[in-house]
Structure formats: C-alpha cells, structure tokens
Amino acid sequence: MSEPANLREQALGLLASGKATSRADLVETLQVAPSTVSSVVRRLLEEGTILEEGVGVSTGGRRPKILRLREAGGVFAVAELGARHARVGLCSPAGVLLAAEESPVDIGAGPKAIFDEVTAIFERLRSAQAPDQRLLAVGMALPGPVEFPHGRLIGPARMPGWSGYDAQTDLRDRFDATVVVDNDAKAAAIGEHVARREAGDMIYVKAGTGIGGCLVSGGQVYRGGRGLSGDVTHVRVADSGERECSCGSRGCLETAASGAALARELAGRGLPVTSTRDVIAATVNADPAVVTLVRHAGRLLGVALSGLVNFLNPDSVVIGGSLSSLDVYVAAVRGMLYERCLPPLTQTLSIEASLAGRDAALIGLGRLLRESADLRPA
C-alpha cells in the first residue's frame, strides 16, 4: 500500500476509535509533519468522509477544530469461509461488528453453491438487523491462497473446484458493490492487530481445520509478490509421520498439526471423532490420548514457527483459529518456541492465543473495506 493510502487509513482508524480528535492529535500519534496531516485531512473533508465539528480545549495555542468520522448510512457485509463453516456478519463503517452468525457448509460444494448460501444469510441478517441501511461493500475471507487485490484463488489444495475462481467478480456481480476478497489468515491477522492496537510486529497463525499464517509489520500485512505469502501449512516438519499432504508432498505441517490431521488420527484409533470441533470437545474432556496428541501437534507448529521467529524477530506470536481455544495446544507452541529460538529473541516475545477470537477475520475485513469503499453519504 502506498504511503498516502496508509496515512489515510491510519487517520481514519484513529478518528473512528477516538484516539485522535484533531489535527494536532494526528500529528502527535502518526509522527509526521503537520503539512502532511493537513493534506490528508483536507482530502478526507473534500471526500465527505469526515467532518469538522466544534472546537476543543486549547493547550496553549488556538483551540483545535474537532474532527469526526461522518456516518455513511450503510453497512458492510462480511463473511469468513472455513472447510465446514461460514461465519457471516454485518459491520459498521466505523469498524463495529453489528451482528454475526455461523452456519455449516461444505467447501467442497464449490463456489457458486457456497456463495448462494452466504448471499441468503447476508440478506437475512440485513432484513433483521439493518433493513433501512444501504449495502456499502462486501468482504469475503477464503481458506486458500488468494491473489490480492484481484480476489482470485490460486491453487487451493483443500478446495476442489475453486482453483482459479474469480471470487471478487462473482460477488461484485451479485451485490453491485465494492468487494474485497482475502485469505482467511490474513484477514484474521488484520482483525487481531486492530483488537490489540499496539501489537507491533506480529506473526499470526490461524490453526483450525487447516493452518494459515501471516506477518503484520508496521501495521501492514506482508503479502509478497502475488499476495500469496504466509503459507506455513506446507512447511515440512520432522516427526510428522511422512503422511501424504493435500498438496501432493509428504511431511507437511498440515498433515500433523491441523484440526483435520488430529481428527483423522483419532478416528484411525477408533475414537468417535470426525471434525475439529470433536477434537476440541475430547481435549476439554481431558481424554489422555487426545491431550497427548494435541500437545504433540502444538509442538510441531512451534518447530515450524521457530525458524520464522529467529529470522523475523517479531514482538508477538498470536495463535488464532479454533485450536487456539485449547490451552494445551498454545502452551505446547510456546514451549517449543522457548526451546528452539535464540534467548534474546524470546525475552520480550509475547506468545498467546487470539484476543479477537472467531470474529477476527470479520473485523479484519471491515478494516479492509473501510480502505476501499466509498464512505461518502448517498
């Protein structure tokens, strides 16, 4: 993202959160020249995105003019797809999640069938929660490699029938609105960074049925050349059992540390487990065999992340996704990072479960849409 767009988004975020209410606040927080802030504010005022409303208390000079975000009179529709679920919600232009619900889906049904289901949920939520609000934009997070910002799926190993699909165009045609399509882990990382506010450089891992990752540095997602960065799921790890992966290789992290891998292993041992949800329930019930296997999976994820921590020296490692609800899994990741990483890099390293939880991707999509949607009142 270019610097002006970055400053624009940062200014909007500060004004929306109440951390800044004037040009002087923006100068102090963003640490840029007053002339740069004046340029950004002037552009936002011309767009109608913000308003000047009254004056604040003087701190020695002229009383500052108060800035606030203009209500756009509409909502964002946001959705995150998983292998077996769709979490769908409505978000205000200021970034507040207004409503969310989860429904079972089968990602293998293909994009058109899945998008039909999600569209029906969107419409039901709007009718119930915001019947008089116009739809400003639509955001979708998908559990596969997304070529950003074009919104096209590139070789998703666990999504038969989706490879090469232009999800962004499909959704734009359905809703006649601005559309943003992103990878689920990247959208969740943005949401987590919003929730933590002062997160610094962060490695975010979404550990659920599959495993995805993302680096947030300087408040921005690192995307790589085609927007396909963060694929930790196909990193080869020792002690994985050399199982064949959906990508065609063997020994990938996905085959031993993901929810799907755990469910498959436990089912093979005769336990009544068919999904990641069943794995979580069995772990919470303290089944010794399940707890041992989940701990081993967390350690393998820690092995895969240790090289990244040594190389990138982040301020935090955050584990999101459904498996982050298991203390034993997160603790195993933490223990392996302390064991494998250089001591100076872990002395101040925060390693913990997600704060934003299951709504992280929806919050992240709301932030992305605020960057690209037309927020001027109709």
Side-chain angles (χ1 to χ4, degrees):
M1 182 184 297
S2 65
E3 182 174 298
N6 183 25
L7 286 174
R8 176 185 187 277
E9 169 56 21
Q10 289 179 319
L12 282 173
L14 291 167
L15 293 171
S17 67
K19 289 184 176 181
T21 59
S22 68
R23 291 172 177 80
D25 290 344
L26 293 173
V27 169
E28 181 179 357
T29 305
L30 297 174
Q31 293 293 295
V32 296
S35 59
T36 302
V37 165
S38 294
S39 176
V40 172
V41 168
R42 182 172 62 253
R43 188 161 55 250
L44 291 172
L45 288 169
E46 290 171 352
E47 292 174 2
T49 307
I50 65 173
L51 296 171
E52 284 185 328
E53 191 173 73
V55 292
V57 178
S58 172
T59 57
R62 287 186 297 177
R63 298 173 67 187
K65 293 182 179 179
I66 299 300
L67 303 173
R68 70 171 179 84
L69 203 65
R70 181 193 289 265
E71 291 296 327
V75 294
F76 299 149
V78 289
E80 176 202 14
L81 297 185
R84 297 192 176 190
H85 79 278
R87 188 158 184 80
V88 183
L90 297 176
C91 183
S92 76
V96 178
L97 194 61
L98 305 173
E101 69 174 58
E102 196 162 304
S103 299
V105 298
D106 177 8
I107 202 72
K112 292 190 178 297
I114 295 295
F115 284 179
D116 283 345
E117 291 187 51
V118 171
T119 298
I121 299 172
F122 275 156
E123 296 303 334
R124 186 171 70 250
L125 278 177
R126 282 185 67 196
S127 296
Q129 303 291 334
D132 300 324
Q133 298 291 307
R134 64 187 177 119
L135 181 63
L136 297 170
V138 175
M140 180 75 72
L142 300 175
V146 175
E147 190 175 28
F148 189 90
H150 308 298
R152 186 183 297 276
L153 274 291
I154 306 296
R158 294 181 296 106
M159 299 172 68
W162 289 77
S163 185
Y165 192 72
D166 189 347
Q168 190 160 284
T169 296
D170 182 320
L171 293 169
R172 188 181 296 122
D173 290 345
R174 288 171 183 264
F175 293 100
D176 190 26
T178 298
V179 173
V180 169
V181 177
D182 205 352
N183 167 260
D184 59 345
K186 290 186 174 69
I190 295 168
E192 188 67 27
H193 196 271
V194 169
R196 291 175 179 269
R197 297 186 179 182
E198 303 297 334
D201 285 0
M202 175 181 72
I203 292 176
Y204 177 89
V205 177
K206 184 174 184 288
T209 301
I211 298 177
C214 179
L215 170 67
V216 179
S217 181
Q220 299 297 309
V221 167
Y222 176 77
R223 295 187 176 276
R226 296 184 67 188
L228 305 179
S229 66
D231 188 358
V232 299
T233 194
H234 298 299
V235 171
R236 184 181 176 86
V237 290
D239 300 326
S240 64
E242 291 295 310
R243 299 174 183 85
E244 185 174 353
C245 182
S246 58
C247 71
S249 185
R250 289 182 177 274
C252 295
L253 184 64
E254 176 183 300
T255 67
S258 67
L262 289 167
R264 182 175 58 249
E265 177 69 19
L266 292 170
R269 297 183 183 186
L271 276 69
V273 173
T274 61
S275 67
T276 304
R277 184 170 295 180
D278 294 338
V279 173
I280 293 171
T283 308
V284 171
N285 289 334
D287 184 305
V290 177
V291 172
T292 298
L293 193 63
V294 169
R295 182 181 292 111
H296 178 65
R299 286 177 64 83
L300 290 179
L301 176 56
V303 171
L305 293 177
S306 62
L308 295 176
V309 169
N310 280 333
F311 183 71
L312 296 170
N313 184 26
D315 296 293
S316 62
V317 173
V318 176
I319 312 299
S322 55
L323 291 179
S324 71
S325 66
L326 300 177
D327 291 342
V328 64
Y329 188 85
V330 176
V333 175
R334 184 184 296 114
M336 186 54 70
L337 287 175
Y338 284 137
E339 181 180 324
R340 289 290 189 98
C341 296
L342 297 171
L345 301 181
T346 58
Q347 285 177 353
T348 60
L349 178 67
S350 169
I351 309 166
E352 56 189 18
S354 167
L355 289 179
R358 59 182 180 174
D359 288 327
L362 302 188
I363 296 169
L365 288 169
R367 172 60 64 91
L368 286 172
L369 290 172
R370 202 170 69 201
E371 295 178 15
S372 55
D374 184 354
L375 299 182
R376 290 172 295 184

